[in-house]
Amino acid sequence: MDPLAAAPAHRAPPPAPEPQHVAAAAAVVDPYAAAAPPPSVSATPAVAPTVNVAECLKKLRAADNGLLYEDPYIQIGVKSQWQGNQGRVMFYLGNKHDADLNQLELTLSSTPGLNARLAPAPPSLGSKKQVQVLLELAAASGYAGSPVVTLRYDVAGIGSVHQNLTTPYGAHKFLTPWAAPDAGAFFAKWHETTAAAQSVDVVTVSAEISSGGLPAIERALTSVNAHVLPGLDPNVNNVVAASTVTYSNGAECFALARVESDANNRAVFRVTVAASDRGTMEGVQAALYSQILAP
């Protein structure tokens, strides 16, 4: 009997992020405020991004530093640090234009389970200047989705520009490795978490992951803080991973994953993600799928 047996798979895309609400001002947000669904990115027609915003988001889900957004007038880079259930993100806003950008503003949507404090941006950013804006995060409990930052500014001769930018700061950012002391301990935790919250999907991965095989799956798991545990799965063609986080509400949450190969199709995998709570499970699943599925 397979000790990691899970519920029957269903073929389904990853769950959509929970609806979110864009805050009216940069301040400590109420994580339990009413929510409304924003688009992942929206642009004033006259000012469009000069980078692939979705690709930037994908990279940042698996990295601490990088480019979030760029258009002809402004560039936003980020650097982040994570410890326990706390995170610090620095936004670097650079004015690429030969004139000031005025009415500059960053606001942040609320995400239930995630406490956030976004420092105010200066109202004006001089030509060729850069400013730093700090975002502080604290995971109070497991949560799905990730906050959305709304960028607004005015350009002389163009008018007002605004972008809604999904951030990469899902629940997976707070995970740390869990080294199961032995196979028995892992199997016990597996059955505990799959009983609490799990999702089982049969997915077709991207060409890049398919060509890389199981090592590519392992790299993708590691990139989203799912700690790979070699040799614990009874089948050498499968891989399992386990991580943990203690939220500020005091709850210790475990997040486990199992990825099973298809002997007949190297592009097809059965993916099981389980966690101590549904929010964490959905957050980890979304992060993993962002790295292994085609856009």
Side-chain angles (χ1 to χ4, degrees):
M1 179 179 295
D2 182 352
L4 299 175
H10 60 277
R11 296 176 181 268
E18 286 188 356
Q20 301 167 353
H21 174 72
V22 177
V28 178
V29 300
D30 177 2
Y32 299 103
S40 61
V41 58
S42 62
T44 299
V47 179
T50 56
V51 294
N52 185 328
V53 177
E55 185 64 21
C56 290
L57 177 60
K58 174 184 175 179
K59 290 179 179 179
L60 284 171
R61 283 191 170 122
D64 291 335
N65 310 324
L67 179 67
L68 179 65
Y69 173 79
E70 186 170 1
D71 66 30
Y73 304 103
I74 198 167
Q75 180 186 77
I76 304 178
V78 297
K79 291 185 178 180
S80 61
Q81 297 177 315
W82 308 91
Q83 184 173 3
N85 58 20
Q86 306 287 318
R88 287 171 57 89
V89 179
M90 191 67 75
F91 293 100
Y92 294 83
L93 282 67
N95 181 356
K96 301 165 53 181
H97 194 35
D98 56 7
D100 291 358
L101 301 180
N102 296 311
Q103 304 300 316
L104 179 65
E105 184 180 31
L106 287 182
T107 57
L108 188 74
S109 71
S110 63
T111 301
L114 180 66
N115 296 329
R117 182 193 301 272
L118 180 64
S124 180
L125 183 57
S127 173
K128 312 302 181 183
K129 300 294 184 180
Q130 184 185 82
V131 67
Q132 300 177 20
V133 178
L134 177 64
L135 170 63
E136 297 174 284
L137 299 170
S141 62
Y143 64 96
S146 55
V148 172
V149 166
T150 297
L151 165 71
R152 296 183 178 87
Y153 65 90
D154 286 351
V155 185
I158 298 294
S160 181
V161 178
H162 101 275
Q163 297 277 358
N164 291 331
L165 301 169
T166 300
T167 70
Y169 306 123
H172 72 286
K173 288 292 186 180
F174 300 94
L175 296 178
T176 56
W178 180 59
D182 53 46
F186 176 82
F187 296 147
K189 188 60 66 177
W190 176 263
H191 291 299
E192 176 186 315
T193 56
T194 54
Q198 72 162 325
S199 176
V200 187
D201 293 323
V202 174
V203 302
T204 300
V205 299
S206 67
E208 178 184 3
I209 296 295
S210 176
S211 63
L214 205 59
I217 292 288
E218 292 177 341
R219 289 192 294 271
L221 285 163
T222 300
S223 74
V224 296
N225 297 326
H227 178 55
V228 174
L229 298 170
L232 279 188
D233 195 286
N235 187 330
V236 297
N237 296 313
N238 302 338
V239 61
V240 296
S243 297
T244 185
V245 59
T246 299
Y247 292 118
S248 57
N249 66 5
E252 182 179 22
C253 179
F254 288 85
L256 280 63
R258 186 192 195 195
V259 183
E260 303 168 73
S261 302
D262 186 321
N264 300 312
N265 188 338
R266 64 180 300 150
V268 173
F269 292 85
R270 174 181 164 117
V271 180
T272 305
V273 179
S276 305
D277 67 75
R278 180 155 295 276
T280 301
M281 183 275 289
E282 292 180 357
V284 172
Q285 181 194 54
L288 176 60
Y289 282 2
S290 76
Q291 301 304 303
I292 67 173
L293 303 186

